[in-house]
Amino acid sequence: QVQLVESGGGLVQGGGSLRLSCTSSGRTLSTYNVGWFRQAPGREREFVAAINWSGSITTYADSVKRRFTISRHNSENTVWLQMSSLKPEDTADYYCAASTVMSTSGVQYHYWGQGTQVTVSP
């Protein structure tokens, strides 16, 4: 079973940076496509970024392009989300998820972490 754990969230001022990590404590993450999603209070969950199993393909939501970078080393059981130039509207709970397909839709992801909080002050 894939058991995902996120870390790296916290408080940061606008314009600052954070790096989130996603690691599986169960089956290795190296053969799965991985996505990052976020959900802010009172809002629906939205797609942030995704990376295919090998790390050769990435895709981003328009709202985070040029600011966020998703990455992985296939030999490592971790996927990273580097977030820079953070804005207050980036404040949300961030979740990583694993899928057998590359997708921007949460319904395609079968394994989810518990989330990590990101708060960006004005």
Side-chain angles (χ1 to χ4, degrees):
Q1 187 83 334
V2 176
Q3 298 171 332
L4 301 177
V5 179
E6 305 96 334
S7 65
L11 299 171
V12 65
Q13 291 184 346
S17 299
L18 286 172
R19 187 176 70 163
L20 308 183
S21 66
C22 174
T23 301
S24 175
S25 62
R27 296 182 64 180
T28 180
L29 206 55
S30 63
T31 62
Y32 288 88
N33 307 290
V34 175
W36 284 95
F37 297 79
R38 66 187 182 186
Q39 187 167 24
R43 295 190 177 92
E44 295 184 350
R45 182 183 63 197
E46 66 174 335
F47 169 78
V48 176
I51 189 167
N52 77 325
W53 72 271
S54 69
S56 62
I57 304 173
T58 59
T59 188
Y60 300 90
D62 289 341
S63 60
V64 305
K65 283 184 176 178
R66 303 175 185 173
R67 300 190 298 119
F68 291 11
T69 301
I70 188 170
S71 63
R72 73 192 304 172
H73 289 167
N74 201 43
S75 61
E76 299 177 359
N77 186 38
T78 302
V79 172
W80 306 91
L81 183 68
Q82 177 67 48
M83 306 185 296
S84 61
S85 301
L86 284 164
K87 306 173 181 179
E89 50 262 45
D90 295 317
T91 296
D93 291 335
Y94 283 72
Y95 301 87
C96 69
S99 175
T100 57
V101 297
M102 181 75 166
S103 178
T104 61
S105 175
V107 300
Q108 298 293 325
Y109 291 83
H110 296 163
Y111 304 100
W112 292 81
Q114 296 300 307
T116 184
Q117 294 182 345
V118 172
T119 302
V120 184
S121 63

